[in-house]
Short mmCIF file of all heavy atoms in Angstrom, two decimals:
data_model
loop_
_atom_site.label_atom_id
_atom_site.label_comp_id
_atom_site.label_asym_id
_atom_site.label_seq_id
_atom_site.Cartn_x
_atom_site.Cartn_y
_atom_site.Cartn_z
N GLY A 1 -202.17 67.92 77.82
CA GLY A 1 -201.12 68.08 76.83
C GLY A 1 -199.87 68.76 77.36
O GLY A 1 -199.79 69.17 78.52
N PRO A 2 -198.87 68.92 76.50
CA PRO A 2 -197.63 69.60 76.89
C PRO A 2 -197.68 71.07 76.55
O PRO A 2 -198.56 71.53 75.84
CB PRO A 2 -196.59 68.90 76.02
CG PRO A 2 -197.33 68.64 74.74
CD PRO A 2 -198.76 68.32 75.15
N VAL A 3 -196.72 71.80 77.06
CA VAL A 3 -196.43 73.13 76.57
C VAL A 3 -195.13 72.92 75.77
O VAL A 3 -194.12 72.50 76.32
CB VAL A 3 -196.28 74.14 77.71
CG1 VAL A 3 -195.31 73.70 78.76
CG2 VAL A 3 -195.92 75.50 77.19
N MET A 4 -195.18 73.13 74.46
CA MET A 4 -194.08 72.72 73.60
C MET A 4 -193.84 73.73 72.49
O MET A 4 -194.79 74.25 71.90
CB MET A 4 -194.37 71.34 72.99
CG MET A 4 -193.27 70.83 72.08
SD MET A 4 -193.56 69.14 71.50
CE MET A 4 -194.92 69.42 70.35
N GLY A 5 -192.58 74.00 72.22
CA GLY A 5 -192.27 74.92 71.15
C GLY A 5 -190.80 74.93 70.79
O GLY A 5 -189.98 74.23 71.40
N ALA A 6 -190.44 75.71 69.80
CA ALA A 6 -189.06 75.87 69.36
C ALA A 6 -188.57 77.27 69.73
O ALA A 6 -189.34 78.23 69.70
CB ALA A 6 -188.96 75.66 67.85
N TYR A 7 -187.28 77.36 70.05
CA TYR A 7 -186.67 78.60 70.51
C TYR A 7 -185.40 78.89 69.74
O TYR A 7 -184.60 77.98 69.47
CB TYR A 7 -186.34 78.50 72.00
CG TYR A 7 -187.54 78.46 72.90
CD1 TYR A 7 -188.31 77.30 73.00
CD2 TYR A 7 -187.91 79.57 73.64
CE1 TYR A 7 -189.43 77.27 73.82
CE2 TYR A 7 -189.02 79.54 74.46
CZ TYR A 7 -189.77 78.39 74.55
OH TYR A 7 -190.88 78.36 75.36
N THR A 8 -185.18 80.15 69.44
CA THR A 8 -183.92 80.55 68.83
C THR A 8 -182.77 80.27 69.79
O THR A 8 -182.90 80.43 71.00
CB THR A 8 -183.96 82.06 68.49
OG1 THR A 8 -185.04 82.30 67.58
CG2 THR A 8 -182.66 82.51 67.86
N LYS A 9 -181.65 79.85 69.24
CA LYS A 9 -180.48 79.49 70.04
C LYS A 9 -180.07 80.63 70.98
O LYS A 9 -179.99 81.78 70.57
CB LYS A 9 -179.31 79.15 69.12
CG LYS A 9 -178.06 78.68 69.86
CD LYS A 9 -176.94 78.34 68.89
CE LYS A 9 -175.68 77.88 69.62
NZ LYS A 9 -174.58 77.55 68.67
N GLY A 10 -179.86 80.27 72.24
CA GLY A 10 -179.35 81.23 73.21
C GLY A 10 -180.38 81.99 74.01
O GLY A 10 -180.03 82.71 74.95
N LEU A 11 -181.66 81.84 73.67
CA LEU A 11 -182.68 82.54 74.45
C LEU A 11 -182.80 81.86 75.81
O LEU A 11 -183.03 80.66 75.91
CB LEU A 11 -184.02 82.50 73.72
CG LEU A 11 -185.17 83.27 74.38
CD1 LEU A 11 -184.83 84.74 74.52
CD2 LEU A 11 -186.46 83.09 73.59
N ALA A 12 -182.62 82.63 76.86
CA ALA A 12 -182.55 82.07 78.21
C ALA A 12 -183.71 82.52 79.08
O ALA A 12 -184.29 83.59 78.88
CB ALA A 12 -181.23 82.48 78.87
N ASN A 13 -184.05 81.66 80.05
CA ASN A 13 -185.13 81.91 81.01
C ASN A 13 -186.47 82.09 80.30
O ASN A 13 -187.32 82.87 80.73
CB ASN A 13 -184.82 83.15 81.86
CG ASN A 13 -183.54 82.97 82.65
OD1 ASN A 13 -183.19 81.86 83.04
ND2 ASN A 13 -182.82 84.06 82.88
N SER A 14 -186.65 81.34 79.23
CA SER A 14 -187.89 81.41 78.46
C SER A 14 -188.33 80.00 78.10
O SER A 14 -187.60 79.27 77.43
CB SER A 14 -187.67 82.24 77.19
OG SER A 14 -188.88 82.43 76.49
N GLY A 15 -189.52 79.63 78.56
CA GLY A 15 -190.02 78.29 78.30
C GLY A 15 -190.66 77.71 79.55
O GLY A 15 -190.77 78.38 80.58
N PRO A 16 -191.08 76.45 79.49
CA PRO A 16 -191.79 75.84 80.62
C PRO A 16 -190.87 75.59 81.80
O PRO A 16 -189.75 75.12 81.65
CB PRO A 16 -192.32 74.53 80.04
CG PRO A 16 -191.38 74.21 78.94
CD PRO A 16 -190.96 75.52 78.36
N ALA A 17 -191.36 75.92 82.99
CA ALA A 17 -190.57 75.74 84.21
C ALA A 17 -191.47 75.42 85.38
O ALA A 17 -191.26 75.92 86.49
CB ALA A 17 -189.75 77.00 84.49
N GLY A 18 -192.51 74.61 85.14
CA GLY A 18 -193.44 74.30 86.21
C GLY A 18 -194.13 75.57 86.69
O GLY A 18 -194.60 76.38 85.89
N TRP A 19 -194.15 75.76 88.01
CA TRP A 19 -194.78 76.96 88.58
C TRP A 19 -193.76 78.07 88.81
O TRP A 19 -194.11 79.14 89.33
CB TRP A 19 -195.45 76.60 89.91
CG TRP A 19 -196.55 75.62 89.80
CD1 TRP A 19 -196.53 74.32 90.18
CD2 TRP A 19 -197.86 75.84 89.24
NE1 TRP A 19 -197.73 73.71 89.90
CE2 TRP A 19 -198.56 74.62 89.32
CE3 TRP A 19 -198.49 76.94 88.67
CZ2 TRP A 19 -199.87 74.48 88.88
CZ3 TRP A 19 -199.80 76.80 88.22
CH2 TRP A 19 -200.48 75.59 88.33
N GLN A 20 -192.52 77.84 88.45
CA GLN A 20 -191.47 78.82 88.72
C GLN A 20 -191.74 80.16 88.03
O GLN A 20 -192.09 80.20 86.85
CB GLN A 20 -190.12 78.28 88.25
CG GLN A 20 -188.95 79.16 88.61
CD GLN A 20 -187.65 78.59 88.06
OE1 GLN A 20 -187.32 78.79 86.90
NE2 GLN A 20 -186.92 77.86 88.89
N THR A 21 -191.58 81.23 88.78
CA THR A 21 -191.76 82.57 88.24
C THR A 21 -190.43 83.08 87.69
O THR A 21 -189.42 83.06 88.39
CB THR A 21 -192.24 83.55 89.33
OG1 THR A 21 -193.44 83.05 89.91
CG2 THR A 21 -192.49 84.93 88.74
N VAL A 22 -190.44 83.51 86.45
CA VAL A 22 -189.29 84.18 85.86
C VAL A 22 -189.72 85.61 85.55
O VAL A 22 -190.62 85.83 84.74
CB VAL A 22 -188.81 83.49 84.57
CG1 VAL A 22 -187.64 84.27 83.95
CG2 VAL A 22 -188.39 82.05 84.86
N LEU A 23 -189.10 86.57 86.21
CA LEU A 23 -189.48 87.96 86.00
C LEU A 23 -189.03 88.42 84.62
O LEU A 23 -187.99 88.00 84.10
CB LEU A 23 -188.86 88.84 87.09
CG LEU A 23 -189.31 88.50 88.52
CD1 LEU A 23 -188.58 89.38 89.52
CD2 LEU A 23 -190.82 88.65 88.67
N ARG A 24 -189.80 89.31 84.02
CA ARG A 24 -189.55 89.74 82.65
C ARG A 24 -188.16 90.37 82.48
O ARG A 24 -187.54 90.22 81.43
CB ARG A 24 -190.62 90.73 82.20
CG ARG A 24 -192.00 90.12 82.03
CD ARG A 24 -191.99 89.00 81.04
NE ARG A 24 -193.32 88.47 80.79
CZ ARG A 24 -193.58 87.37 80.13
NH1 ARG A 24 -192.58 86.65 79.65
NH2 ARG A 24 -194.82 86.96 79.95
N GLU A 25 -187.70 91.06 83.51
CA GLU A 25 -186.40 91.72 83.39
C GLU A 25 -185.24 90.73 83.37
O GLU A 25 -184.10 91.10 83.06
CB GLU A 25 -186.21 92.74 84.51
CG GLU A 25 -186.28 92.18 85.91
CD GLU A 25 -187.66 92.26 86.54
OE1 GLU A 25 -188.66 92.17 85.78
OE2 GLU A 25 -187.75 92.42 87.77
N ASP A 26 -185.51 89.46 83.70
CA ASP A 26 -184.46 88.45 83.75
C ASP A 26 -184.40 87.55 82.52
O ASP A 26 -183.61 86.60 82.48
CB ASP A 26 -184.64 87.58 85.00
CG ASP A 26 -184.47 88.38 86.29
OD1 ASP A 26 -183.79 89.42 86.25
OD2 ASP A 26 -185.03 87.96 87.32
N VAL A 27 -185.22 87.82 81.52
CA VAL A 27 -185.17 87.07 80.27
C VAL A 27 -184.15 87.74 79.36
O VAL A 27 -184.15 88.97 79.20
CB VAL A 27 -186.54 87.04 79.57
CG1 VAL A 27 -186.45 86.33 78.22
CG2 VAL A 27 -187.57 86.35 80.47
N GLY A 28 -183.25 86.95 78.76
CA GLY A 28 -182.22 87.54 77.91
C GLY A 28 -181.53 86.53 77.02
O GLY A 28 -181.96 85.38 76.92
N TRP A 29 -180.47 86.97 76.39
CA TRP A 29 -179.66 86.11 75.51
C TRP A 29 -178.37 85.74 76.21
O TRP A 29 -177.74 86.58 76.87
CB TRP A 29 -179.34 86.83 74.20
CG TRP A 29 -180.55 87.13 73.37
CD1 TRP A 29 -181.19 88.33 73.27
CD2 TRP A 29 -181.27 86.22 72.53
NE1 TRP A 29 -182.27 88.23 72.42
CE2 TRP A 29 -182.34 86.94 71.96
CE3 TRP A 29 -181.12 84.87 72.22
CZ2 TRP A 29 -183.25 86.35 71.08
CZ3 TRP A 29 -182.02 84.28 71.35
CH2 TRP A 29 -183.07 85.02 70.79
N GLU A 30 -177.98 84.48 76.08
CA GLU A 30 -176.72 84.03 76.67
C GLU A 30 -175.54 84.82 76.12
O GLU A 30 -175.52 85.19 74.95
CB GLU A 30 -176.48 82.55 76.34
CG GLU A 30 -177.42 81.57 76.96
CD GLU A 30 -177.06 80.15 76.55
OE1 GLU A 30 -175.91 79.74 76.81
OE2 GLU A 30 -177.91 79.47 75.94
N LYS A 31 -174.55 85.04 76.99
CA LYS A 31 -173.31 85.67 76.53
C LYS A 31 -172.53 84.69 75.65
O LYS A 31 -172.61 83.47 75.84
CB LYS A 31 -172.44 86.07 77.72
CG LYS A 31 -172.99 87.25 78.50
CD LYS A 31 -172.06 87.61 79.65
CE LYS A 31 -172.58 88.85 80.39
NZ LYS A 31 -171.72 89.19 81.56
#
């Protein structure tokens, strides 16, 4: 199956990205 969901507008670096690591300190809201 997929990894699928809805996100509030502007939330960045959050969601499916294959095996890519996104560190927690780099998740944020777009300017």
Side-chain angles (χ1 to χ4, degrees):
V3 52
M4 180 174 71
Y7 291 75
T8 300
K9 183 179 180 180
L11 184 60
N13 300 329
S14 186
W19 298 107
Q20 186 182 82
T21 304
V22 177
L23 299 177
R24 291 302 184 191
E25 59 267 32
D26 295 336
V27 176
W29 296 101
E30 292 180 58
K31 288 181 177 178

